[in-house]
Amino acid sequence: MLFNRQILKYLGTNALSVYGIIINISTFVQCCAYSIGQASQPIFSTDYGANRFNRIRETLKYALGTAAVFGLIWTVISECVPMLCSFFQGTHPCAFVERVGA
């Protein structure tokens, strides 16, 4: 709450709305990343206890592949953000970022 007030005070309502959107998207992206580790952890534990190391390697391969796909998807989406911003601003995509000073 304090951080929001500081943004509002020094940068204005537009910057606060952009900050809110970024935080919500960031939370969603982090949940996707955390879910990979939390989904694979019980498989690792069970297979380690059963001495099935081949299955651990297979699960690790799938987990790292899934993380790479998620990373690629979020990278492509983040690179497209300036194009998406132009739909809402009606101006150059980076005009708002330049005004805010980020």
Side-chain angles (χ1 to χ4, degrees):
M1 189 64 141
L2 180 62
F3 194 69
N4 289 349
R5 288 184 188 207
Q6 295 300 315
I7 291 175
L8 187 62
K9 179 180 177 181
Y10 293 111
L11 300 173
T13 56
N14 288 337
L16 184 60
S17 64
V18 169
Y19 172 74
I21 293 168
I22 290 171
I23 290 300
N24 285 328
I25 292 172
S26 174
T27 302
F28 183 73
V29 171
Q30 286 178 349
C31 286
C32 290
Y34 295 150
S35 67
I36 296 167
Q38 290 188 4
S40 59
Q41 186 273 330
I43 299 170
F44 290 144
S45 299
T46 303
D47 290 336
Y48 184 79
N51 290 326
R52 292 187 283 188
F53 298 109
N54 288 334
R55 181 152 173 180
I56 292 173
R57 281 188 217 98
E58 182 181 346
T59 304
L60 183 61
K61 181 180 73 171
Y62 286 128
L64 292 175
T66 304
V69 169
F70 272 138
L72 184 63
I73 289 170
W74 292 120
T75 301
V76 168
I77 290 173
S78 67
E79 289 297 319
C80 293
V81 166
M83 290 183 289
L84 295 173
C85 290
S86 65
F87 290 121
F88 299 104
Q89 292 177 343
T91 60
H92 186 269
C94 296
F96 179 72
V97 175
E98 291 169 359
R99 280 195 312 256
V100 171

